[in-house]
Amino acid sequence: MGDNLPFASIEALSGKLERGDISSAHLTNLYLERIDRLNPALNAYVEVYHEAALMQARASDQRRAHGYQIGPLDGIPLAVKDLCAIDGRGIAAGSKSWHGRRSESTATAIARLIAAGAVILGKTQMVEFAFGGWGTNPLLGTPRNPWSVSSHCIPGGSSSGSGVAVAAGLAAGAIGSDTGGSVRIPATLNGITGLKTTAGLISLAGCCDLSKSLDSLGPMTRSVWDAALLTQIMAGYDKLDPRTHHAPRVMFDLDDDEDPDDVLTGAVIGLIPPSSYPIEVSPEIAGALDEMVSVLMEHGATVIEQEFPFDFHEMMLLNGKIISAEAYALHRSYIHDESLEIGPWVRRRIMSGRDISAAEYIDAMAAHNNAKRAWAAWMRGMDALLVPGTPIVACPLEQVDESETPLAAFTRAGNFLGTSVLAVPAGFDGASMPIGMQLYGKPFEEPLLVRIGRAYQRVSDWHRRVPAMV
């Protein structure tokens, strides 16, 4: 039983805890032992809370023993990206220059998980200041993609450690952030599920900003059901974050009785011609997309190819311009200080915001707002748009070109369009590296994406695969 538990879904683990098949203390110990054994090579965690995690687990077991289970997350061990504050814990946002900083409060989203009974295992590694898609961190170390046996392959970023932790069985789920693909890229490259939530759905109070206009928090999990549970717990109004004040309340149907054919019959999934792609995708990724289309159609979905009135590449550039301008405004007081140990490429990306004029920034924000309206109108006849997660699979670390951003080619548009996006595992290449797809939805229609994604995962098993090296 112990061999399979680290890779079980939150849904399955919750059932085992409720039935008394396992205890939270046993489960937490299992993850902590794996972290102690595997993290030196994988570098997924920057802090591990051994004693506190076990105390939380034992408290969960005591509640359950006395009939006071809080809910399905009670006793489930999770990991948190190191840009979310936890009172009394370190918060370095992936930066060596921030080493030693301590939080004096807990981020609203994380506080809600803890209140729901989650066991917090520790903080995960990330790209410095959350600004990068490859997942590299030259000063604190780049986490290793657990699917690569022969070489150190990239994990994707910026939620690199969160992706590796879930994929390697070092946590039942993890929290990431997404400003241009930082949940979806590592989810895709590590063969797990990631949900980029609509900005404003989940409070960012207590989290380190990269771009106030584009940032969002999202879950990284083994299944779509798991992602929905974590999102529902974290979402909602927060007086500390004005971005949540006008967001609708989103509710998920977490019952598991639906037939995938019933869910997908009548669902309309859009496709765009490859000529609209911002970058050529590998033949194996194109083949995985075709296979996913066949599965969706076989179970009742209507798939239609649409002319795409948006330009992925232009949206990627404009999204990058907004990120750079807002990141420079946040970090400008120290980013020029060469005595601070800051990664050269992250420093360069942030400093590029200095050269963006006020007029350029205003124009980019106007385009962002116009695109959000145009997207909502264009999507009226569809439930989701299916596109690749990334154009390539995870490559060896030595092949990374930090001056290029191919991994964000299909992801930054989700932030620029201000919408919800679900990333799901959809296959493997010839070297057994994961391939993932994205379902773009409408703003605040995460429940619809979840229904489609859950239906797909009921009739596919890509999300159940486990890397050989762990």
Side-chain angles (χ1 to χ4, degrees), residues 313-335:
H313 184 65
E314 181 184 16
M315 288 190 288
M316 184 180 78
L317 295 177
L318 288 169
N319 199 81
K321 185 172 286 188
I322 294 170
I323 295 171
S324 296
E326 296 188 354
Y328 182 71
L330 286 169
H331 298 286
R332 67 185 183 276
S333 64
Y334 48 80
I335 198 65

Tab-separated table of all heavy atoms in Angstrom, residues 313-335:
chain	number	residue	atom	x	y	z
A	313	HIS	N	1.288	34.977	-30.753
A	313	HIS	CA	2.619	35.577	-30.591
A	313	HIS	C	2.511	37.024	-30.105
A	313	HIS	O	3.235	37.429	-29.188
A	313	HIS	CB	3.393	35.521	-31.901
A	313	HIS	CG	4.803	36.024	-31.792
A	313	HIS	ND1	5.754	35.392	-31.022
A	313	HIS	CD2	5.416	37.121	-32.323
A	313	HIS	CE1	6.892	36.052	-31.098
A	313	HIS	NE2	6.708	37.102	-31.878
A	314	GLU	N	1.593	37.777	-30.690
A	314	GLU	CA	1.417	39.173	-30.265
A	314	GLU	C	0.954	39.232	-28.814
A	314	GLU	O	1.428	40.064	-28.030
A	314	GLU	CB	0.400	39.875	-31.168
A	314	GLU	CG	0.185	41.342	-30.790
A	314	GLU	CD	-0.888	42.010	-31.631
A	314	GLU	OE1	-1.670	41.298	-32.288
A	314	GLU	OE2	-0.943	43.254	-31.601
A	315	MET	N	0.034	38.328	-28.435
A	315	MET	CA	-0.433	38.313	-27.050
A	315	MET	C	0.702	37.953	-26.101
A	315	MET	O	0.788	38.500	-24.998
A	315	MET	CB	-1.600	37.338	-26.898
A	315	MET	CG	-2.885	37.830	-27.541
A	315	MET	SD	-4.343	36.813	-27.123
A	315	MET	CE	-4.009	35.319	-28.058
A	316	MET	N	1.571	37.043	-26.529
A	316	MET	CA	2.712	36.681	-25.693
A	316	MET	C	3.615	37.886	-25.463
A	316	MET	O	4.056	38.149	-24.338
A	316	MET	CB	3.511	35.555	-26.345
A	316	MET	CG	4.661	35.057	-25.466
A	316	MET	SD	5.633	33.722	-26.195
A	316	MET	CE	6.627	34.659	-27.348
A	317	LEU	N	3.869	38.658	-26.533
A	317	LEU	CA	4.737	39.823	-26.416
A	317	LEU	C	4.107	40.903	-25.539
A	317	LEU	O	4.777	41.512	-24.689
A	317	LEU	CB	5.055	40.383	-27.798
A	317	LEU	CG	5.877	39.479	-28.731
A	317	LEU	CD1	6.054	40.137	-30.092
A	317	LEU	CD2	7.234	39.145	-28.118
A	318	LEU	N	2.812	41.156	-25.734
A	318	LEU	CA	2.140	42.175	-24.935
A	318	LEU	C	2.046	41.752	-23.476
A	318	LEU	O	2.223	42.565	-22.564
A	318	LEU	CB	0.745	42.449	-25.507
A	318	LEU	CG	0.708	43.222	-26.834
A	318	LEU	CD1	-0.701	43.194	-27.428
A	318	LEU	CD2	1.164	44.661	-26.633
A	319	ASN	N	1.765	40.480	-23.251
A	319	ASN	CA	1.732	39.970	-21.878
A	319	ASN	C	3.091	40.149	-21.215
A	319	ASN	O	3.195	40.576	-20.059
A	319	ASN	CB	1.343	38.491	-21.902
A	319	ASN	CG	0.838	37.995	-20.568
A	319	ASN	OD1	-0.320	38.194	-20.224
A	319	ASN	ND2	1.698	37.327	-19.814
A	320	GLY	N	4.155	39.838	-21.971
A	320	GLY	CA	5.508	40.015	-21.448
A	320	GLY	C	5.823	41.469	-21.143
A	320	GLY	O	6.522	41.774	-20.165
A	321	LYS	N	5.307	42.367	-21.971
A	321	LYS	CA	5.555	43.798	-21.741
A	321	LYS	C	4.886	44.260	-20.443
A	321	LYS	O	5.488	45.018	-19.655
A	321	LYS	CB	5.016	44.596	-22.929
A	321	LYS	CG	5.316	46.080	-22.870
A	321	LYS	CD	4.926	46.784	-24.171
A	321	LYS	CE	5.899	46.470	-25.284
A	321	LYS	NZ	5.659	47.299	-26.507
A	322	ILE	N	3.664	43.796	-20.187
A	322	ILE	CA	2.974	44.164	-18.950
A	322	ILE	C	3.714	43.603	-17.743
A	322	ILE	O	3.930	44.299	-16.741
A	322	ILE	CB	1.513	43.670	-18.976
A	322	ILE	CG1	0.718	44.409	-20.060
A	322	ILE	CG2	0.853	43.862	-17.610
A	322	ILE	CD1	-0.664	43.822	-20.323
A	323	ILE	N	4.136	42.335	-17.850
A	323	ILE	CA	4.880	41.727	-16.743
A	323	ILE	C	6.152	42.512	-16.451
A	323	ILE	O	6.441	42.845	-15.295
A	323	ILE	CB	5.233	40.258	-17.064
A	323	ILE	CG1	3.979	39.405	-17.186
A	323	ILE	CG2	6.140	39.688	-15.963
A	323	ILE	CD1	4.241	38.004	-17.701
A	324	SER	N	6.917	42.813	-17.491
A	324	SER	CA	8.189	43.509	-17.292
A	324	SER	C	7.996	44.882	-16.665
A	324	SER	O	8.733	45.272	-15.755
A	324	SER	CB	8.926	43.641	-18.629
A	324	SER	OG	9.278	42.384	-19.136
A	325	ALA	N	7.012	45.624	-17.169
A	325	ALA	CA	6.769	46.972	-16.644
A	325	ALA	C	6.364	46.919	-15.178
A	325	ALA	O	6.865	47.699	-14.344
A	325	ALA	CB	5.699	47.668	-17.477
A	326	GLU	N	5.464	46.008	-14.829
A	326	GLU	CA	4.981	45.941	-13.457
A	326	GLU	C	6.028	45.325	-12.529
A	326	GLU	O	6.147	45.727	-11.369
A	326	GLU	CB	3.656	45.183	-13.412
A	326	GLU	CG	2.554	45.915	-14.189
A	326	GLU	CD	1.172	45.318	-14.012
A	326	GLU	OE1	1.048	44.248	-13.375
A	326	GLU	OE2	0.208	45.930	-14.512
A	327	ALA	N	6.806	44.367	-13.047
A	327	ALA	CA	7.877	43.789	-12.228
A	327	ALA	C	8.955	44.835	-11.930
A	327	ALA	O	9.495	44.874	-10.812
A	327	ALA	CB	8.489	42.589	-12.942
A	328	TYR	N	9.272	45.659	-12.913
A	328	TYR	CA	10.284	46.698	-12.676
A	328	TYR	C	9.788	47.694	-11.625
A	328	TYR	O	10.562	48.123	-10.744
A	328	TYR	CB	10.626	47.432	-13.966
A	328	TYR	CG	11.690	48.482	-13.770
A	328	TYR	CD1	13.015	48.112	-13.531
A	328	TYR	CD2	11.370	49.839	-13.783
A	328	TYR	CE1	13.991	49.067	-13.319
A	328	TYR	CE2	12.348	50.796	-13.571
A	328	TYR	CZ	13.654	50.414	-13.339
A	328	TYR	OH	14.630	51.370	-13.125
A	329	ALA	N	8.503	48.027	-11.682
A	329	ALA	CA	7.951	48.946	-10.684
A	329	ALA	C	8.076	48.352	-9.279
A	329	ALA	O	8.346	49.074	-8.312
A	329	ALA	CB	6.488	49.254	-10.999
A	330	LEU	N	7.934	47.044	-9.160
A	330	LEU	CA	8.033	46.381	-7.858
A	330	LEU	C	9.466	46.282	-7.348
A	330	LEU	O	9.728	46.426	-6.154
A	330	LEU	CB	7.440	44.967	-7.951
A	330	LEU	CG	5.916	44.850	-8.031
A	330	LEU	CD1	5.531	43.424	-8.384
A	330	LEU	CD2	5.278	45.250	-6.699
A	331	HIS	N	10.409	46.010	-8.257
A	331	HIS	CA	11.784	45.676	-7.849
A	331	HIS	C	12.810	46.780	-8.150
A	331	HIS	O	13.999	46.563	-7.934
A	331	HIS	CB	12.226	44.392	-8.558
A	331	HIS	CG	11.400	43.186	-8.230
A	331	HIS	ND1	11.482	42.533	-7.024
A	331	HIS	CD2	10.478	42.508	-8.963
A	331	HIS	CE1	10.650	41.500	-7.019
A	331	HIS	NE2	10.020	41.463	-8.179
A	332	ARG	N	12.365	47.924	-8.621
A	332	ARG	CA	13.307	48.923	-9.136
A	332	ARG	C	14.241	49.489	-8.071
A	332	ARG	O	15.333	49.965	-8.394
A	332	ARG	CB	12.564	50.072	-9.810
A	332	ARG	CG	11.718	50.942	-8.886
A	332	ARG	CD	10.934	51.987	-9.691
A	332	ARG	NE	10.170	52.897	-8.857
A	332	ARG	CZ	8.959	52.642	-8.373
A	332	ARG	NH1	8.399	51.470	-8.621
A	332	ARG	NH2	8.312	53.534	-7.648
A	333	SER	N	13.858	49.402	-6.793
A	333	SER	CA	14.683	50.026	-5.755
A	333	SER	C	15.977	49.258	-5.509
A	333	SER	O	16.913	49.816	-4.925
A	333	SER	CB	13.894	50.144	-4.447
A	333	SER	OG	13.570	48.864	-3.940
A	334	TYR	N	16.075	48.000	-5.962
A	334	TYR	CA	17.286	47.217	-5.704
A	334	TYR	C	17.759	46.381	-6.890
A	334	TYR	O	18.836	45.799	-6.835
A	334	TYR	CB	17.070	46.280	-4.508
A	334	TYR	CG	15.796	45.488	-4.567
A	334	TYR	CD1	15.692	44.336	-5.342
A	334	TYR	CD2	14.677	45.906	-3.859
A	334	TYR	CE1	14.512	43.625	-5.408
A	334	TYR	CE2	13.495	45.210	-3.910
A	334	TYR	CZ	13.409	44.064	-4.685
A	334	TYR	OH	12.232	43.374	-4.753
A	335	ILE	N	16.985	46.327	-7.965
A	335	ILE	CA	17.341	45.421	-9.061
A	335	ILE	C	18.639	45.836	-9.745
A	335	ILE	O	19.342	45.017	-10.345
A	335	ILE	CB	16.189	45.318	-10.087
A	335	ILE	CG1	16.360	44.079	-10.975
A	335	ILE	CG2	16.076	46.583	-10.925
A	335	ILE	CD1	16.247	42.777	-10.252
